[in-house]
């Protein structure tokens, strides 16, 4: 495994490796957890060359967000990548030539809702850096976790709209035994907050369960879930039911792919989660 710090060196390394098969990219901000390791394992299964990028992208953090506090654990991340048979870690110091870029990508409807409603510019920062990573690595496949479903939907849309020739693979959310989705931000939780945090998954699971039992009215499904959250003293930033790809609001469950989404801040941690809603 090699670690490279500049786009120039990465291009050189990949030129030498390109004959070894398809290239899979797992873009991360480091602080690797079980969610990331499942992406890396999948990449290893599917491709001849696995590249993991580790870069805390300043462009996707708002002025009051946790850019400086975001955990940086490079040595531990390097050990994880080595154990999983990663070929290249791309760990640049800065991806923007002169401070911050003049040219960025911009998303529209898909980023006005859910997390985008309270994190203006966040998804523009994500697609800008993912586009830069795609340009440097030129992967055949790129893997992203379904926990960040809105990010995944936006990246899929970017690839379609900009005619990019990379295959995007979404991978199942990895959960703790009580259902909490693994996330780098879980480490901000105190023991008491960690216990309460499981309520996020429980509430959207309850929506999924009620959907399976035949409930179709989204207002009612959401009202029940809000009541369960209230009992755990959790006031969500949002809890919503939306179309899985367009992210438009769903009023009644039909056979279209639909998901329940939640975000809530517990202590210092802003947590998100989502599940598929299936009728049977
Ligand atoms: O999901 C993440 O960790 C980040 O948003 C990503 C895709 C690595 C872009 O910085």
């Amino acid at each position: 495994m090699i670690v490279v710090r500049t786009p120039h060196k990465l291009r050189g390394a990949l030129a030498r490796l390109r004959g070894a098969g398809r290239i899979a990219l797992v873009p991360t901000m480091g602080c690797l957890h079980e969610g990331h390791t499942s992406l890396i394992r999948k990449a290893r299964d599917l491709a001849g060359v696995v590249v993991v990028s580790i870069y805390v992208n300043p462009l996707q953090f708002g002025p009051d967000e946790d850019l400086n506090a975001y955990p940086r654990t490079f040595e531990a991340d390097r050990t994880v990548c080595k154990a999983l048979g990663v070929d290249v870690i791309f760990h640049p110091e800065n991806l923007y030539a002169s401070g911050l870029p003049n040219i960025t990508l911009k998303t529209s409807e898909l980023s006005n809702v859910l997390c985008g409603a309270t994190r203006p510019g966040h998804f523009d920062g994500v697609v800008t850096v993912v586009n830069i990573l795609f340009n440097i690595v030129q992967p055949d496949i790129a893997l992203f976790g379904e926990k960040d479903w809105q990010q995944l939907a936006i990246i899929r849309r970017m690839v379609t709209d900009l005619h990019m020739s990379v295959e995007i693979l979404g991978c199942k959310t990895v959960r703790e035994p009580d259902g909490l989705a693994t996330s780098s931000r879980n480490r901000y939780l105190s023991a008491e907050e960690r216990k309460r945090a499981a309520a996020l998954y429980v509430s959207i699971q309850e929506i999924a369960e009620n959907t399976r039992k035949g409930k179709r009215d989204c207002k009612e499904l959401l009202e029940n879930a809000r009541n369960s959250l209230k009992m755990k003293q959790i006031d969500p930033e949002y809890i919503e039911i939306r179309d899985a790809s367009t992210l438009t609001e769903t009023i009644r469950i039909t056979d279209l792919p639909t998901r329940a989404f939640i975000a809530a801040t517990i202590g210092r941690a802003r947590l998100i989660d989502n599940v598929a809603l299936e009728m049977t």
Side-chain angles (χ1 to χ4, degrees), residues 51-176:
V51 181
V52 173
S53 64
I54 297 180
Y55 180 60
V56 181
N57 171 33
L59 213 56
Q60 68 189 74
F61 288 79
D64 302 323
E65 293 183 0
D66 56 345
L67 172 63
N68 292 327
Y70 198 86
R72 281 138 172 108
T73 58
F74 183 71
E75 283 314 316
D77 295 345
R78 182 212 293 259
T79 307
V80 168
C81 288
K82 190 151 188 2
L84 293 172
V86 168
D87 298 292
V88 183
I89 296 181
F90 179 45
H91 183 41
E93 208 152 293
N94 179 19
L95 275 182
Y96 305 111
S98 46
L100 288 175
N102 265 286
I103 312 289
T104 58
L105 291 182
K106 198 157 172 45
T107 63
S108 54
E109 282 93 18
L110 285 172
S111 64
N112 294 336
V113 297
L114 299 171
C115 292
T118 50
R119 302 187 74 189
H122 167 69
F123 289 111
D124 295 345
V126 170
V127 288
T128 298
V129 81
V130 171
N131 178 45
I132 290 173
L133 290 167
F134 285 178
N135 286 336
I136 299 171
V137 178
Q138 299 188 4
D140 299 288
I141 320 168
L143 297 91
F144 297 86
E146 289 186 349
K147 187 194 61 119
D148 298 296
W149 187 272
Q150 185 174 17
Q151 167 172 285
L152 179 61
I154 289 173
I155 289 168
R156 283 192 198 285
R157 187 63 191 264
M158 168 178 80
V159 165
T160 304
D161 284 4
L162 302 185
H163 299 269
M164 294 171 151
S165 64
V166 50
E167 182 189 337
I168 303 299
L169 236 99
C171 298
K172 291 251 160 306
T173 301
V174 177
R175 301 183 178 283
E176 304 282 347

